Amino acid sequence: ALESALRKRLKESLRSKEKALSKDGKKNLTKGKSTLSSKLVSKTSIKSKTSKELGLKFDAYVKGAKKAIRKGSPKPEISKATKDDPEKLSYRSSSSNEDTSKQELQLLKNMQEAAFTAQERYEVLNARDSYLRLKDSKKGDSKVKKVSGTCPDMCPEKERYSRITKNCLAIFETKMAFDSMGSSKDVDHHYMVKEYSRSSADQQEPLPHELRPVSVLKFTMDYLICNLVDRKNHNISIAEWYDFIWNRTRSIRKDITQQQLCDVECVEILEKCARFHILCAELLSEEDTATFDPKINNENLTKCLQTLKHMYHDLQSKGIQCPNEAEFRAYDILLSLTEGETLRLVKDLNKNILISTC
């Protein structure tokens, strides 16, 4: 009887404990669900608030950008100080103007420094050119303008000092070429001629003082012909002689094309360039290909003749007749005899050129 009574009491106590535990679990579950739902609600409210703020900021940015495009000013940017107020916008123009002004001041300081060596003079001239380009960039003219050269020398001043510091001088640009007592290290600025440089995508547009006008180009061409063409056998290798004159005549042609020049004097310069290549084709025909390449020489000759053809046509449209046109038209026909359109081009020539006996 005692055992049965004890068992009943134990069962009742266990049942009461189970009921209490089940009630507490349900309460905890309901509490957890309520907390989770409250957290989700708070997160959604935060997201909605942030999305609204971002939308307001974006709308304000778009409005400012439209105004800037209408006025032609740079695009606006939202600064850190104005994140709370999306309608206040800051522009990059102020910071960019400060940077350019600092750069200008630094370049002006470099330009005012004393220069005694070739390297120092080159740095001063380089600062001058970068200052001028910076001024041109501030104007904002994206149109390509025709540049007229103003360089009074056969070689621009900056290039002279640059090549002296790099020791990139030819024999004909030293006193050794014209003075037997002079050494190869003695440089004379009067003998230096502008070197040809290949055009590249990252190459900057030339400044006016880096290009030579027609009068200087004509003087340079006459200097090369009168003083250097007849010095082929004066203790100087034929390769150096040919490479120097060919390189300098290419630089002359490049200056003409960069300035878009077309007049009778330019025609005379190009005719002299063509005659030089014709002379080399005959004089250096027996040389090695390492010294003289006839294919490259003929390519340069054809380029000269093509430029001359365009100039003859443009001048003829203006009523100007060049005296040596028939001669160089004949050279062009001789070089293009194997092409199929040669006869058609000959028929289209002027009658005075076809009748000419020169």
Side-chain angles (χ1 to χ4, degrees):
L2 288 169
E3 288 179 359
S4 61
L6 289 169
R7 285 177 182 175
K8 285 180 181 180
R9 287 180 181 178
L10 286 170
K11 287 179 181 180
E12 289 176 357
S13 64
L14 288 170
R15 285 175 184 174
S16 62
K17 286 180 180 180
E18 286 177 357
K19 287 179 181 179
L21 288 170
S22 62
K23 287 179 180 179
D24 293 333
K26 287 179 181 179
K27 287 180 181 179
N28 291 327
L29 286 170
T30 53
K31 285 181 181 179
K33 287 180 181 179
S34 62
T35 52
L36 285 170
S37 61
S38 63
K39 285 180 181 179
L40 289 170
V41 170
S42 62
K43 284 182 180 179
T44 53
S45 62
I46 289 165
K47 285 182 180 179
S48 62
K49 287 179 181 178
T50 53
S51 62
K52 286 180 181 178
E53 289 177 358
L54 289 171
L56 290 170
K57 289 179 181 180
F58 181 74
D59 293 336
Y61 179 80
V62 170
K63 288 179 182 178
K66 287 180 179 179
K67 289 180 182 178
I69 290 166
R70 288 172 186 171
K71 293 179 181 179
S73 59
K75 291 182 180 180
E77 270 193 354
I78 298 173
S79 63
K80 294 180 180 179
T82 58
K83 280 185 178 179
D84 297 329
D85 191 359
E87 293 181 357
K88 293 181 180 179
L89 300 172
S90 64
Y91 293 85
R92 286 184 181 177
S93 59
S94 59
S95 60
S96 62
N97 289 330
E98 289 177 0
D99 294 337
T100 52
S101 62
K102 288 179 182 178
Q103 193 174 359
E104 286 179 3
L105 291 172
Q106 185 62 38
L107 291 171
L108 288 170
K109 286 181 182 178
N110 295 335
M111 289 165 61
Q112 292 173 359
E113 290 180 357
F116 300 100
T117 62
Q119 179 66 32
E120 291 174 350
R121 290 174 182 175
Y122 169 74
E123 290 174 356
V124 170
L125 294 171
N126 191 23
R128 177 201 62 184
D129 291 350
S130 53
Y131 178 78
L132 292 173
R133 287 194 171 93
L134 188 63
K135 284 287 187 183
D136 291 337
S137 64
K138 286 178 71 176
K139 293 178 182 178
D141 294 334
S142 59
K143 296 180 181 179
V144 179
K145 294 182 179 179
K146 184 179 178 181
V147 183
S148 298
T150 59
C151 179
D153 303 320
M154 292 193 296
C155 184
E157 188 179 10
K158 179 184 171 183
E159 182 183 335
R160 294 203 303 267
Y161 290 115
S162 174
R163 287 168 56 198
I164 289 168
T165 53
K166 295 175 183 177
N167 198 15
C168 296
L169 298 170
I171 296 173
F172 296 101
E173 295 175 332
T174 60
K175 293 180 180 179
M176 182 182 178
F178 300 98
D179 187 6
S180 60
M181 299 298 292
S183 62
S184 60
K185 294 182 180 179
D186 294 333
V187 180
D188 195 337
H189 288 261
H190 296 92
Y191 298 155
M192 294 185 71
V193 185
K194 185 178 179 180
E195 191 177 20
Y196 174 78
S197 60
R198 292 182 179 273
S199 300
S200 58
D202 58 345
Q203 192 175 18
Q204 294 177 332
E205 292 183 2
L207 295 168
H209 60 266
E210 293 177 337
L211 297 173
R212 296 165 290 182
V214 181
S215 58
V216 179
L217 291 172
K218 188 177 180 181
F219 175 81
T220 306
M221 193 69 213
D222 293 339
Y223 166 78
L224 293 173
I225 291 172
C226 297
N227 296 310
L228 299 179
V229 169
D230 61 344
R231 300 184 68 83
K232 185 170 69 69
N233 297 321
H234 286 67
N235 298 323
I236 297 169
S237 65
I238 296 172
E240 290 178 346
W241 172 82
Y242 175 73
D243 290 338
F244 179 79
I245 300 175
W246 171 42
N247 183 282
R248 273 38 178 190
T249 52
R250 288 180 79 188
S251 70
I252 290 171
R253 288 191 281 128
K254 186 177 179 181
D255 279 10
I256 291 171
T257 54
Q258 284 180 331
Q259 298 177 74
Q260 301 176 7
L261 299 174
C262 182
D263 54 12
V264 178
E265 291 181 344
C266 291
V267 169
E268 292 177 358
I269 292 168
L270 291 172
E271 286 174 352
K272 291 173 184 177
C273 291
R275 285 196 178 100
F276 168 73
H277 289 291
I278 293 168
L279 175 68
C280 292
E282 194 274 327
L283 287 177
L284 308 178
S285 59
E286 296 180 358
E287 297 292 333
D288 297 333
T289 54
T291 303
F292 174 75
D293 192 348
K295 290 183 179 179
I296 296 174
N297 188 67
N298 289 333
E299 286 177 2
N300 284 274
L301 177 58
T302 52
K303 287 178 181 178
C304 291
L305 294 174
Q306 285 177 0
T307 309
L308 282 171
K309 280 197 298 183
H310 294 303
M311 285 191 177
Y312 289 148
H313 182 269
D314 294 338
L315 292 173
Q316 191 175 4
S317 63
K318 296 177 183 178
I320 301 170
Q321 187 68 35
C322 298
N324 299 321
E325 183 178 357
E327 177 188 353
F328 288 91
R329 292 279 189 181
Y331 295 147
D332 187 28
I333 292 166
L334 290 172
L335 285 173
S336 58
L337 283 174
T338 56
E339 296 179 2
E341 295 183 354
T342 305
L343 291 174
R344 184 181 63 80
L345 294 172
V346 170
K347 289 179 181 179
D348 294 337
L349 291 174
N350 194 0
K351 291 182 179 180
N352 295 325
I353 296 170
L354 295 172
I355 298 169
S356 178
T357 58
C358 63

